[in-house]
Amino acid sequence: MARKLAAGNWKMNGTRAALEELSALAQAHPDPSVDILICPPATLVQTAAATVANGPIQIGGQDCHAQASGAHTGDISAEMLLDAGATSVILGHSERREDHGESSDDVNAKTRAAHAAGLVAIVCVGESLSQREAANTLDIIGEQLATSLPDGCTAANTVVAYEPIWAIGTGKVPTTEQIDEVHDFIRARMIRRFGENEGRAIPLLYGGSVKTDNAAEIFATDNVDGALVGGASLKATDFSPIIKALEGKA
Ligand code: 13P
């Protein structure tokens, strides 16, 4: 069984004032039965980590460079995130793939950097609407997984997030059958590549318009071990019921 994880991706939202939401979340969940992770913008990683220090909530980054250091203006390495107090990093989010032209090969290199630094890599995959309409979803996901994930992925160092691009920030959610189909497919690929034990234990998150009112239904799907939540992770009052819905599954 994979561990359960409720992860929030704040994207490019939040200044220091947003740390109040983190404090409120920590107060509401002093002893959660699932893992909780918040990935704020890089400028807040260190203060966010200090805000939740000694509690169960963990802090992650939203991207890292493939190199440990060097002449890469504006970039941040996995080691720097770790040093700032992060335990995880989101990699290959569709917004990075789109805005920064990141390929699955790039994501593979970044994932290796995260693993080398001791961070958990949350590797995102997902099809566009046109790819789904052309019935290419599983081919696309299969290719993204094969290329983005390096050898040596384990349940301790890797999480996979399935985020259909057309469901991100749109309020459109796939049917439970569609989520079920993709998550079963990803689970089978994880087992085939990383072995029965690790393959079964790598957490698989669903992401894309997860809200208070649809979380329990999404979590009822067999191979969904949690969620990667954008908009609804920004306010503790929105994210907290999603965490509780996942605790209902754990
Ligand atoms: P929304 O929850 O805002 O749709 O965003 C999902 C996402 O991209 C999380 O990484």
Side-chain angles (χ1 to χ4, degrees):
M1 276 275 281
R3 68 190 168 96
K4 302 290 174 280
L5 172 62
N9 174 9
W10 282 8
K11 307 191 179 185
M12 198 174 72
N13 296 292
T15 56
R16 279 179 297 164
L19 296 172
E20 281 176 24
E21 295 297 330
L22 200 53
S23 301
L25 198 67
Q27 256 178 16
H29 300 275
D31 190 20
S33 61
V34 299
D35 292 353
I36 304 174
L37 173 75
I38 294 289
C39 301
T43 49
L44 290 180
V45 166
Q46 188 154 10
T47 39
T51 301
V52 297
N54 306 317
I57 299 180
Q58 306 214 316
I59 299 300
Q62 299 176 9
D63 175 52
C64 71
H65 196 276
Q67 304 292 318
S69 63
H72 301 287
T73 302
D75 277 313
I76 293 171
S77 73
E79 286 174 15
M80 291 168 181
L81 287 173
L82 185 80
D83 182 59
T87 58
S88 304
V89 60
I90 298 169
L91 295 172
H93 192 284
S94 59
E95 289 152 13
R96 299 280 324 165
R97 292 177 188 260
E98 170 85 23
D99 294 355
H100 299 271
E102 283 186 13
S103 67
S104 291
D105 285 323
D106 296 329
V107 179
N108 184 302
K110 290 175 179 214
T111 304
R112 281 184 277 127
H115 288 171
L119 291 179
V120 175
I122 301 176
V123 177
C124 303
V125 296
E127 82 287 2
S128 67
L129 187 59
S130 60
Q131 288 166 336
R132 175 162 282 279
E133 285 173 350
N136 284 334
T137 298
L138 296 185
D139 286 347
I140 295 291
I141 303 294
E143 163 59 25
Q144 288 177 339
L145 289 171
T147 311
S148 303
L149 295 177
D151 291 338
C153 288
T154 66
N157 67 20
T158 304
V159 171
V160 174
Y162 169 54
E163 298 206 319
I165 296 168
W166 51 275
I168 295 175
T170 58
K172 288 190 191 130
V173 184
T175 64
T176 42
E177 289 75 19
Q178 288 172 324
I179 296 175
D180 204 35
E181 181 189 33
V182 176
H183 277 245
D184 285 358
F185 174 81
I186 297 174
R187 177 67 71 212
R189 287 295 163 106
M190 293 300 101
I191 292 169
R192 191 171 89 182
R193 175 129 182 239
F194 302 112
E196 184 74 26
N197 287 348
E198 298 303 330
R200 282 208 186 283
I202 290 174
L204 307 185
L205 309 183
Y206 168 78
S209 297
V210 177
K211 308 283 178 213
T212 304
D213 57 3
N214 62 17
E217 192 183 344
I218 291 168
F219 295 149
T221 310
D222 260 358
N223 276 313
V224 174
D225 303 308
L228 182 54
V229 183
S233 72
L234 295 172
K235 293 263 172 278
T237 49
D238 292 334
F239 196 42
S240 194
I242 295 173
I243 295 168
K244 290 203 180 104
L246 188 60
E247 287 183 313
K249 174 172 183 154

